[in-house]
Protein backbone atom coordinates (compact mmCIF):
# COMPACT_ATOMS: atom_id res chain seq x y z
CA UNK A 1 0.00 0.00 0.00
CA UNK A 2 1.40 3.37 -0.99
CA UNK A 3 2.47 5.57 1.92
CA UNK A 4 2.07 9.05 0.45
CA UNK A 5 0.47 12.22 1.82
CA UNK A 6 -2.56 11.67 -0.42
CA UNK A 7 -3.01 8.06 0.67
CA UNK A 8 -2.53 9.03 4.33
CA UNK A 9 -5.24 11.66 3.92
CA UNK A 10 -7.52 9.08 2.32
CA UNK A 11 -7.13 6.74 5.28
CA UNK A 12 -7.70 9.61 7.69
CA UNK A 13 -10.89 10.63 5.92
CA UNK A 14 -12.21 7.06 5.87
CA UNK A 15 -11.74 6.71 9.63
CA UNK A 16 -13.31 10.11 10.28
CA UNK A 17 -16.40 8.97 8.37
CA UNK A 18 -17.09 6.22 10.92
CA UNK A 19 -19.31 7.90 13.56
CA UNK A 20 -17.76 6.48 16.73
CA UNK A 21 -19.87 8.62 19.06
CA UNK A 22 -19.26 7.73 22.70
CA UNK A 23 -21.48 5.01 24.06
CA UNK A 24 -23.72 6.05 26.92
CA UNK A 25 -22.38 4.09 29.92
CA UNK A 26 -25.89 4.02 31.40
CA UNK A 27 -27.54 2.57 28.30
CA UNK A 28 -27.51 -1.26 28.33
CA UNK A 29 -28.70 -1.25 24.71
CA UNK A 30 -25.89 0.98 23.40
CA UNK A 31 -24.68 -0.41 20.08
CA UNK A 32 -20.93 -0.65 19.60
CA UNK A 33 -21.20 -1.53 15.93
CA UNK A 34 -19.39 1.61 14.79
CA UNK A 35 -16.45 0.78 17.03
CA UNK A 36 -16.26 -2.72 15.54
CA UNK A 37 -16.30 -1.16 12.07
CA UNK A 38 -13.51 1.15 13.18
CA UNK A 39 -11.44 -1.80 14.48
CA UNK A 40 -11.93 -3.70 11.22
CA UNK A 41 -10.95 -0.65 9.19
CA UNK A 42 -7.72 -0.30 11.16
CA UNK A 43 -6.71 -3.86 10.28
CA UNK A 44 -7.43 -3.27 6.60
CA UNK A 45 -5.83 0.17 6.36
CA UNK A 46 -2.68 -0.65 8.37
CA UNK A 47 -1.72 -4.21 7.37
CA UNK A 48 2.03 -3.91 8.03
CA UNK A 49 1.47 -2.66 11.56
CA UNK A 50 -1.03 -5.41 12.28
CA UNK A 51 1.36 -8.07 11.00
CA UNK A 52 4.04 -7.08 13.53
CA UNK A 53 2.42 -5.48 16.57
CA UNK A 54 0.45 -7.45 19.15
CA UNK A 55 -3.12 -6.23 19.58
CA UNK A 56 -5.78 -6.93 22.18
CA UNK A 57 -9.22 -5.51 22.89
CA UNK A 58 -9.77 -4.32 26.45
CA UNK A 59 -13.05 -3.31 28.10
CA UNK A 60 -14.69 -4.62 24.91
CA UNK A 61 -13.87 -1.76 22.53
CA UNK A 62 -10.59 -0.17 23.68
CA UNK A 63 -7.40 -1.32 21.96
CA UNK A 64 -3.87 -1.92 23.26
CA UNK A 65 -0.99 -2.55 20.85
CA UNK A 66 2.54 -3.62 21.75
CA UNK A 67 5.49 -3.02 19.43
CA UNK A 68 8.38 -4.97 20.90
CA UNK A 69 11.69 -3.12 21.04
CA UNK A 70 15.18 -3.92 22.22
CA UNK A 71 14.37 -2.91 25.80
CA UNK A 72 11.11 -3.80 27.53
CA UNK A 73 11.93 -2.11 30.84
CA UNK A 74 11.27 1.55 29.93
CA UNK A 75 8.48 1.61 27.34
CA UNK A 76 6.88 4.53 25.54
CA UNK A 77 3.09 4.83 25.55
CA UNK A 78 1.29 6.82 22.85
CA UNK A 79 -2.35 7.47 23.65
CA UNK A 80 -5.43 8.61 21.76
CA UNK A 81 -9.14 7.87 21.87
CA UNK A 82 -11.50 6.55 19.21
CA UNK A 83 -14.71 8.06 20.49
CA UNK A 84 -16.09 11.48 19.56
CA UNK A 85 -18.78 13.71 21.01
CA UNK A 86 -22.25 13.93 19.40
CA UNK A 87 -23.09 16.47 16.72
CA UNK A 88 -25.98 18.75 15.88
CA UNK A 89 -25.75 18.39 12.11
CA UNK A 90 -27.81 21.51 11.36
CA UNK A 91 -25.15 23.69 13.01
CA UNK A 92 -22.36 22.49 10.71
CA UNK A 93 -21.29 24.12 7.46
CA UNK A 94 -20.31 20.68 6.11
CA UNK A 95 -21.59 17.18 6.85
CA UNK A 96 -20.02 16.36 10.25
CA UNK A 97 -19.03 12.82 9.30
CA UNK A 98 -18.36 13.55 5.65
CA UNK A 99 -14.66 14.35 6.16
CA UNK A 100 -14.91 16.85 3.33
CA UNK A 101 -11.75 18.57 2.12
CA UNK A 102 -12.36 22.32 1.97
CA UNK A 103 -9.98 24.70 0.20
CA UNK A 104 -6.72 23.96 -1.56
CA UNK A 105 -3.00 24.28 -1.06
CA UNK A 106 -1.67 25.25 2.36
CA UNK A 107 -5.13 26.36 3.53
CA UNK A 108 -6.89 23.05 2.74
CA UNK A 109 -8.79 21.62 5.71
CA UNK A 110 -10.59 18.42 6.62
CA UNK A 111 -13.94 19.14 8.27
CA UNK A 112 -15.23 16.35 10.50
CA UNK A 113 -16.10 15.50 14.06
CA UNK A 114 -12.93 14.04 15.54
CA UNK A 115 -10.54 15.74 13.11
CA UNK A 116 -8.65 17.14 16.10
CA UNK A 117 -10.35 15.48 19.09
CA UNK A 118 -8.94 12.88 18.85
CA UNK A 119 -8.75 10.88 15.64
CA UNK A 120 -6.24 13.41 14.35
CA UNK A 121 -3.68 12.11 16.83
CA UNK A 122 -4.83 8.50 16.64
CA UNK A 123 -4.46 8.25 12.86
CA UNK A 124 -1.20 10.23 12.86
CA UNK A 125 0.23 7.70 15.36
CA UNK A 126 -0.87 4.80 13.16
CA UNK A 127 0.61 6.42 10.06
CA UNK A 128 3.93 6.95 11.85
CA UNK A 129 4.12 3.39 13.20
CA UNK A 130 3.01 1.81 9.91
CA UNK A 131 5.69 3.65 7.95
CA UNK A 132 8.46 2.83 10.44
CA UNK A 133 7.52 -0.85 10.58
CA UNK A 134 7.53 -0.92 6.77
CA UNK A 135 11.04 0.55 6.83
CA UNK A 136 12.19 -2.31 9.07
CA UNK A 137 12.66 -0.16 12.16
CA UNK A 138 12.89 -1.85 15.56
CA UNK A 139 12.41 0.67 18.39
CA UNK A 140 15.00 1.00 21.12
CA UNK A 141 12.34 0.34 23.74
CA UNK A 142 8.90 -1.24 23.71
CA UNK A 143 6.14 0.97 22.36
CA UNK A 144 2.51 0.68 23.45
CA UNK A 145 -0.39 2.27 21.61
CA UNK A 146 -3.33 2.79 23.98
CA UNK A 147 -6.58 3.76 22.27
CA UNK A 148 -9.56 4.22 24.57
CA UNK A 149 -13.16 4.07 23.36
CA UNK A 150 -15.02 6.18 25.93
CA UNK A 151 -12.80 9.09 26.98
CA UNK A 152 -15.50 11.65 26.19
CA UNK A 153 -17.85 10.14 28.78
CA UNK A 154 -15.15 9.53 31.42
CA UNK A 155 -15.48 5.82 30.78
CA UNK A 156 -13.46 2.81 31.83
CA UNK A 157 -11.48 1.98 28.68
CA UNK A 158 -8.18 3.69 29.51
CA UNK A 159 -8.50 2.78 33.18
CA UNK A 160 -8.83 -0.89 32.18
CA UNK A 161 -5.74 -0.58 29.96
CA UNK A 162 -3.76 0.84 32.88
CA UNK A 163 -4.86 -2.02 35.10
CA UNK A 164 -3.67 -4.56 32.50
CA UNK A 165 -0.28 -2.85 32.24
CA UNK A 166 0.01 -2.55 36.02
CA UNK A 167 -0.64 -6.28 36.47
CA UNK A 168 2.11 -6.98 33.93
CA UNK A 169 4.58 -4.78 35.74
CA UNK A 170 4.84 -2.20 32.97
CA UNK A 171 6.30 1.16 34.09
CA UNK A 172 6.40 3.58 31.13
CA UNK A 173 9.28 6.05 30.93
CA UNK A 174 7.07 8.39 28.89
CA UNK A 175 3.30 8.60 28.28
CA UNK A 176 1.92 11.02 25.72
CA UNK A 177 -1.76 11.82 25.26
CA UNK A 178 -3.83 14.60 23.69
CA UNK A 179 -3.59 18.05 25.21
CA UNK A 180 -1.90 21.32 24.37
CA UNK A 181 -0.91 22.21 20.82
CA UNK A 182 1.34 24.55 18.87
CA UNK A 183 -0.30 27.95 19.27
CA UNK A 184 0.36 31.56 18.39
CA UNK A 185 -1.14 34.57 20.08
CA UNK A 186 -2.49 32.60 23.03
CA UNK A 187 0.02 34.19 25.40
CA UNK A 188 0.18 38.00 25.29
CA UNK A 189 3.34 39.47 23.82
CA UNK A 190 4.96 36.15 22.87
CA UNK A 191 6.58 36.44 19.44
CA UNK A 192 7.25 32.75 18.61
CA UNK A 193 4.97 29.73 18.20
CA UNK A 194 4.71 27.87 21.49
CA UNK A 195 4.22 24.15 21.97
CA UNK A 196 2.26 24.07 25.20
CA UNK A 197 2.84 20.62 26.70
CA UNK A 198 0.61 19.63 29.59
CA UNK A 199 2.63 18.46 32.58
CA UNK A 200 -0.53 18.10 34.66
CA UNK A 201 -4.25 18.43 34.22
CA UNK A 202 -6.93 20.01 36.30
CA UNK A 203 -9.25 17.84 38.32
CA UNK A 204 -12.91 17.62 37.39
CA UNK A 205 -16.02 17.31 39.51
CA UNK A 206 -19.76 17.57 39.09
CA UNK A 207 -21.79 19.17 41.87
CA UNK A 208 -25.58 19.28 42.13
CA UNK A 209 -27.26 22.21 43.86
CA UNK A 210 -30.82 21.35 44.85
CA UNK A 211 -33.62 23.39 46.38
CA UNK A 212 -36.83 21.65 47.47
CA UNK A 213 -40.40 22.68 48.33
CA UNK A 214 -43.88 21.15 48.59
CA UNK A 215 -44.95 22.09 45.07
CA UNK A 216 -48.46 22.90 43.98
CA UNK A 217 -50.17 25.12 41.43
CA UNK A 218 -48.17 27.97 39.91
CA UNK A 219 -51.15 30.32 40.38
CA UNK A 220 -50.43 30.49 44.12
CA UNK A 221 -46.64 30.59 44.45
CA UNK A 222 -44.95 30.74 47.86
CA UNK A 223 -42.96 33.79 48.90
CA UNK A 224 -39.61 32.06 48.27
CA UNK A 225 -40.04 29.24 45.74
CA UNK A 226 -37.35 26.64 45.17
CA UNK A 227 -36.46 28.14 41.81
CA UNK A 228 -35.76 31.55 43.37
CA UNK A 229 -33.56 30.04 46.09
CA UNK A 230 -31.65 28.09 43.47
CA UNK A 231 -31.23 31.19 41.30
CA UNK A 232 -29.72 33.09 44.24
CA UNK A 233 -27.29 30.24 44.86
CA UNK A 234 -26.24 30.19 41.20
CA UNK A 235 -25.68 33.95 41.17
CA UNK A 236 -23.63 33.86 44.36
CA UNK A 237 -21.43 31.17 42.90
CA UNK A 238 -21.01 33.15 39.69
CA UNK A 239 -20.24 36.45 41.42
CA UNK A 240 -17.66 34.96 43.78
CA UNK A 241 -15.32 32.87 41.64
CA UNK A 242 -12.45 30.88 43.12
CA UNK A 243 -9.40 33.03 43.93
CA UNK A 244 -6.59 33.36 41.40
CA UNK A 245 -3.11 32.00 42.05
CA UNK A 246 0.03 31.01 40.17
CA UNK A 247 0.87 27.31 40.23
CA UNK A 248 4.46 26.15 39.51
CA UNK A 249 3.91 24.85 35.93
CA UNK A 250 2.26 28.11 34.90
CA UNK A 251 5.05 30.10 36.54
CA UNK A 252 7.56 27.98 34.57
CA UNK A 253 5.62 28.58 31.36
CA UNK A 254 5.95 32.35 31.66
CA UNK A 255 9.60 32.13 32.66
CA UNK A 256 10.20 30.01 29.54
CA UNK A 257 8.50 32.41 27.14
CA UNK A 258 9.92 35.58 28.74
CA UNK A 259 13.01 35.80 26.46
CA UNK A 260 10.67 35.53 23.45
CA UNK A 261 8.24 38.23 24.58
CA UNK A 262 8.14 41.76 23.23
CA UNK A 263 7.70 45.06 25.04
CA UNK A 264 7.34 45.56 28.79
CA UNK A 265 5.80 42.11 29.22
CA UNK A 266 9.23 40.61 28.70
CA UNK A 267 10.45 41.97 32.04
CA UNK A 268 7.10 41.27 33.67
CA UNK A 269 7.26 37.56 32.71
CA UNK A 270 10.95 37.27 33.56
CA UNK A 271 10.17 38.60 37.05
CA UNK A 272 7.08 36.44 37.50
CA UNK A 273 8.10 35.66 41.08
CA UNK A 274 7.52 39.32 41.90
CA UNK A 275 4.83 40.23 39.37
CA UNK A 276 2.80 37.02 39.60
CA UNK A 277 0.32 38.26 42.18
CA UNK A 278 -0.66 41.15 39.95
CA UNK A 279 -0.70 39.12 36.73
CA UNK A 280 -3.11 36.52 38.04
CA UNK A 281 -5.59 39.30 38.77
CA UNK A 282 -5.29 40.64 35.22
CA UNK A 283 -5.35 37.34 33.31
CA UNK A 284 -9.07 36.57 33.84
CA UNK A 285 -9.88 39.75 31.89
CA UNK A 286 -7.80 38.58 28.89
CA UNK A 287 -9.89 35.55 27.97
CA UNK A 288 -11.21 32.24 29.24
CA UNK A 289 -8.03 30.24 28.58
CA UNK A 290 -5.84 32.53 30.69
CA UNK A 291 -8.54 32.67 33.35
CA UNK A 292 -8.57 28.86 33.55
CA UNK A 293 -4.79 28.74 33.98
CA UNK A 294 -4.88 30.71 37.22
CA UNK A 295 -7.99 29.57 39.08
CA UNK A 296 -10.33 26.70 39.74
CA UNK A 297 -13.42 27.34 37.63
CA UNK A 298 -17.06 26.53 38.37
CA UNK A 299 -19.89 26.99 35.90
CA UNK A 300 -23.53 25.91 35.90
CA UNK A 301 -24.17 23.74 32.84
CA UNK A 302 -27.66 22.31 33.42
CA UNK A 303 -30.85 23.55 35.09
CA UNK A 304 -34.01 21.63 35.84
CA UNK A 305 -37.26 22.45 37.62
CA UNK A 306 -40.93 21.63 37.36
CA UNK A 307 -42.42 19.19 34.89
CA UNK A 308 -44.85 21.78 33.48
CA UNK A 309 -45.18 25.51 32.89
CA UNK A 310 -48.02 25.89 35.42
CA UNK A 311 -46.57 23.62 38.13
CA UNK A 312 -44.40 24.63 41.07
CA UNK A 313 -41.12 22.75 41.22
CA UNK A 314 -40.86 20.38 44.14
CA UNK A 315 -37.17 20.17 43.30
CA UNK A 316 -35.05 22.68 41.36
CA UNK A 317 -31.54 21.59 40.49
CA UNK A 318 -28.41 23.07 38.93
CA UNK A 319 -25.45 21.01 37.75
CA UNK A 320 -22.10 22.70 38.32
CA UNK A 321 -18.99 21.67 36.38
CA UNK A 322 -15.88 22.38 38.45
CA UNK A 323 -12.31 22.19 37.11
CA UNK A 324 -9.74 22.05 39.90
CA UNK A 325 -6.39 23.76 39.65
CA UNK A 326 -3.51 21.79 41.23
CA UNK A 327 -3.48 22.53 44.94
CA UNK A 328 -7.28 22.41 45.22
CA UNK A 329 -9.17 19.20 45.94
CA UNK A 330 -12.72 18.07 45.45
CA UNK A 331 -13.25 18.28 49.21
CA UNK A 332 -11.88 21.82 49.55
CA UNK A 333 -13.87 22.98 46.50
CA UNK A 334 -17.14 21.54 47.85
CA UNK A 335 -16.54 23.26 51.18
CA UNK A 336 -15.97 26.58 49.44
CA UNK A 337 -19.11 26.22 47.32
CA UNK A 338 -21.16 25.68 50.48
CA UNK A 339 -19.63 28.78 52.13
CA UNK A 340 -20.19 30.97 49.06
CA UNK A 341 -23.83 29.90 48.66
CA UNK A 342 -24.42 30.39 52.37
CA UNK A 343 -27.86 28.80 52.36
CA UNK A 344 -28.46 25.68 54.49
CA UNK A 345 -31.60 24.97 52.48
CA UNK A 346 -29.58 24.39 49.31
CA UNK A 347 -28.27 20.84 49.14
CA UNK A 348 -24.72 20.59 47.76
CA UNK A 349 -23.99 17.10 46.49
CA UNK A 350 -20.72 16.00 44.91
CA UNK A 351 -21.88 13.59 42.22
CA UNK A 352 -18.45 12.69 40.82
CA UNK A 353 -14.94 13.94 41.43
CA UNK A 354 -11.36 13.46 40.35
CA UNK A 355 -8.59 15.51 41.96
CA UNK A 356 -5.93 17.23 39.85
CA UNK A 357 -3.24 14.95 38.47
CA UNK A 358 0.31 14.79 39.80
CA UNK A 359 2.72 17.14 38.04
CA UNK A 360 5.27 15.60 35.65
CA UNK A 361 8.75 17.14 35.37
CA UNK A 362 9.56 19.72 32.68
CA UNK A 363 13.21 18.72 32.57
CA UNK A 364 15.01 15.42 32.21
CA UNK A 365 15.12 12.65 29.57
CA UNK A 366 11.38 12.31 28.90
CA UNK A 367 10.85 16.06 28.51
CA UNK A 368 13.97 16.36 26.35
CA UNK A 369 12.68 13.68 23.96
CA UNK A 370 9.40 15.53 23.55
CA UNK A 371 11.10 18.88 23.05
CA UNK A 372 13.52 17.47 20.46
CA UNK A 373 10.72 15.87 18.41
CA UNK A 374 8.75 19.10 18.61
CA UNK A 375 11.57 21.18 17.19
CA UNK A 376 12.66 18.70 14.53
CA UNK A 377 9.18 18.02 13.14
CA UNK A 378 7.17 21.14 13.89
CA UNK A 379 9.79 23.87 13.47
CA UNK A 380 13.05 25.00 15.03
CA UNK A 381 11.32 28.24 16.00
CA UNK A 382 8.68 26.39 18.03
CA UNK A 383 9.24 26.83 21.77
CA UNK A 384 8.23 23.90 24.01
CA UNK A 385 6.89 25.04 27.35
CA UNK A 386 5.15 23.41 30.33
CA UNK A 387 1.45 24.00 30.68
CA UNK A 388 -1.55 23.00 32.78
CA UNK A 389 -3.98 20.94 30.70
CA UNK A 390 -7.33 22.70 31.09
CA UNK A 391 -9.58 19.75 30.25
CA UNK A 392 -9.56 16.19 31.54
CA UNK A 393 -8.09 13.33 29.53
CA UNK A 394 -7.53 9.59 29.80
CA UNK A 395 -3.88 10.28 30.66
CA UNK A 396 -4.79 10.91 34.30
CA UNK A 397 -5.14 7.15 34.79
CA UNK A 398 -1.57 6.56 33.61
CA UNK A 399 -0.11 8.63 36.46
CA UNK A 400 -0.61 5.49 38.56
CA UNK A 401 2.13 3.69 36.59
CA UNK A 402 4.35 6.49 35.26
CA UNK A 403 5.93 9.65 36.63
CA UNK A 404 6.29 11.20 33.15
CA UNK A 405 2.81 11.72 31.72
CA UNK A 406 2.39 14.51 29.17
CA UNK A 407 -0.47 15.96 27.17
CA UNK A 408 0.35 17.38 23.74
CA UNK A 409 -1.43 17.29 20.39
CA UNK A 410 1.32 17.87 17.79
CA UNK A 411 -0.61 20.18 15.48
CA UNK A 412 -0.52 23.91 14.83
CA UNK A 413 -4.01 25.04 15.86
CA UNK A 414 -5.48 28.51 15.49
CA UNK A 415 -7.80 29.94 18.12
CA UNK A 416 -10.85 29.26 15.92
CA UNK A 417 -9.73 25.66 15.40
CA UNK A 418 -9.34 25.19 19.15
CA UNK A 419 -12.75 26.76 19.77
CA UNK A 420 -14.37 24.27 17.35
CA UNK A 421 -13.54 21.31 19.60
CA UNK A 422 -16.81 19.85 20.94
CA UNK A 423 -18.59 22.43 18.80
CA UNK A 424 -19.63 22.66 15.17
CA UNK A 425 -17.23 22.85 12.21
CA UNK A 426 -14.41 20.93 13.87
CA UNK A 427 -11.55 20.84 11.37
CA UNK A 428 -7.79 20.55 10.88
CA UNK A 429 -5.47 21.89 8.22
CA UNK A 430 -4.02 19.04 6.22
CA UNK A 431 -0.47 20.40 6.30
CA UNK A 432 -0.62 20.68 10.08
CA UNK A 433 -1.87 17.11 10.38
CA UNK A 434 0.89 15.75 8.13
CA UNK A 435 3.55 17.49 10.23
CA UNK A 436 2.01 15.76 13.25
CA UNK A 437 2.82 12.39 11.65
CA UNK A 438 6.46 13.47 11.40
CA UNK A 439 6.41 14.42 15.08
CA UNK A 440 5.39 10.89 16.06
CA UNK A 441 7.98 9.39 13.67
CA UNK A 442 10.74 11.48 15.23
CA UNK A 443 9.61 10.65 18.76
CA UNK A 444 9.50 6.93 17.95
CA UNK A 445 12.91 6.96 16.31
CA UNK A 446 14.32 8.67 19.41
CA UNK A 447 12.77 6.04 21.64
Amino acid sequence: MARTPDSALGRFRELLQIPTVSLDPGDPDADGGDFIRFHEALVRLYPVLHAVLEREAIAEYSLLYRWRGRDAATPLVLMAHMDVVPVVASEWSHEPFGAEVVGSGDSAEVHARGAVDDKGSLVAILEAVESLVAEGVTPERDVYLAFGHNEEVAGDGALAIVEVLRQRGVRPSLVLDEGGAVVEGALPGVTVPTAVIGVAERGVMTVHLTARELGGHASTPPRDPATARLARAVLRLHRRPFPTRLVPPVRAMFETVAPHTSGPLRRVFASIGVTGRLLVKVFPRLGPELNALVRTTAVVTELSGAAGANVLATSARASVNVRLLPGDTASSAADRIRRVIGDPHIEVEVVSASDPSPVSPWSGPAWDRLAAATRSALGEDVLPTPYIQLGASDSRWFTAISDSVYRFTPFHLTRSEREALHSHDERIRIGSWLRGIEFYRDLLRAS
Side-chain angles (χ1 to χ4, degrees), residues 84-347:
V84 300
V85 296
V87 301
V88 179
S90 61
E91 296 178 348
W92 286 64
S93 303
H94 304 274
E95 204 283 310
F97 292 105
E100 182 178 345
V101 175
V102 179
S104 60
D106 292 341
S107 63
E109 303 169 327
V110 178
H111 283 239
R113 173 62 82 222
V116 176
D117 189 10
D118 186 30
K119 289 180 182 175
S121 290
L122 188 149
V123 181
I125 291 169
L126 292 171
E127 290 289 331
V129 174
E130 177 85 355
S131 63
L132 290 173
V133 174
E135 293 168 13
V137 171
T138 298
E140 288 299 318
R141 51 175 57 83
D142 278 8
V143 175
Y144 289 91
L145 312 181
F147 299 152
H149 75 280
N150 50 14
E151 189 271 350
E152 297 291 6
V153 291
D156 62 349
L159 179 60
I161 289 174
V162 168
E163 180 59 22
V164 168
L165 295 177
R166 187 192 65 78
Q167 291 177 1
R168 295 173 184 173
V170 176
R171 289 283 305 179
S173 61
L174 169 59
V175 177
L176 181 62
D177 195 10
E178 63 174 335
V182 179
V183 299
E184 297 182 55
L187 299 176
V190 177
T191 58
V192 297
T194 52
V196 289
I197 301 173
V199 296
E201 65 181 43
R202 299 194 300 172
V204 58
M205 61 189 291
T206 298
V207 177
H208 284 172
L209 310 180
T210 305
R212 303 184 190 278
E213 65 177 328
L214 294 177
H217 201 286
S219 63
T220 54
R223 179 178 179 181
D224 197 21
T227 48
R229 296 203 308 275
L230 181 65
R232 283 199 301 272
V234 169
L235 282 175
R236 286 171 182 167
L237 192 60
H238 176 70
R239 289 170 177 168
R240 291 186 57 190
F242 282 76
T244 56
R245 54 193 173 84
L246 198 63
V247 296
V250 176
R251 180 192 302 267
M253 178 178 71
F254 285 104
E255 291 172 341
T256 301
V257 302
H260 308 275
T261 302
S262 62
L265 284 176
R266 180 170 185 156
R267 295 186 64 180
V268 170
F269 291 168
S271 305
I272 194 79
V274 176
T275 62
R277 289 185 179 181
L278 174 62
L279 282 178
V280 296
K281 296 182 184 300
V282 174
F283 281 168
R285 304 174 189 173
L286 302 180
E289 289 180 333
L290 286 173
N291 176 59
L293 282 176
V294 296
R295 65 157 39 111
T296 289
T297 58
V299 61
V300 172
T301 54
E302 295 177 309
L303 292 166
S304 61
N310 63 345
V311 178
L312 292 174
T314 57
S315 175
R317 190 180 76 186
S319 294
V320 185
N321 185 271
V322 183
R323 301 297 172 121
L324 301 159
L325 203 63
D328 285 336
T329 65
S331 176
S332 67
D335 288 344
R336 187 182 188 280
I337 289 171
R338 291 187 179 95
R339 290 197 305 272
V340 166
I341 290 172
D343 184 347
H345 299 295
I346 297 291
E347 300 171 16

Side-chain angles (χ1 to χ4, degrees), residues 74-76 141 173-174 364-374 443 446-447:
T74 56
L76 164 69
R141 51 175 57 83
S173 61
L174 169 59
W367 177 265
D368 291 345
R369 280 154 58 194
L370 282 177
T374 298
L443 183 63
S447 300

Side-chain angles (χ1 to χ4, degrees), residues 42-53:
L42 296 184
V43 175
R44 175 171 48 80
L45 295 173
Y46 299 97
V48 178
L49 179 158
H50 282 86
V52 173
L53 276 64

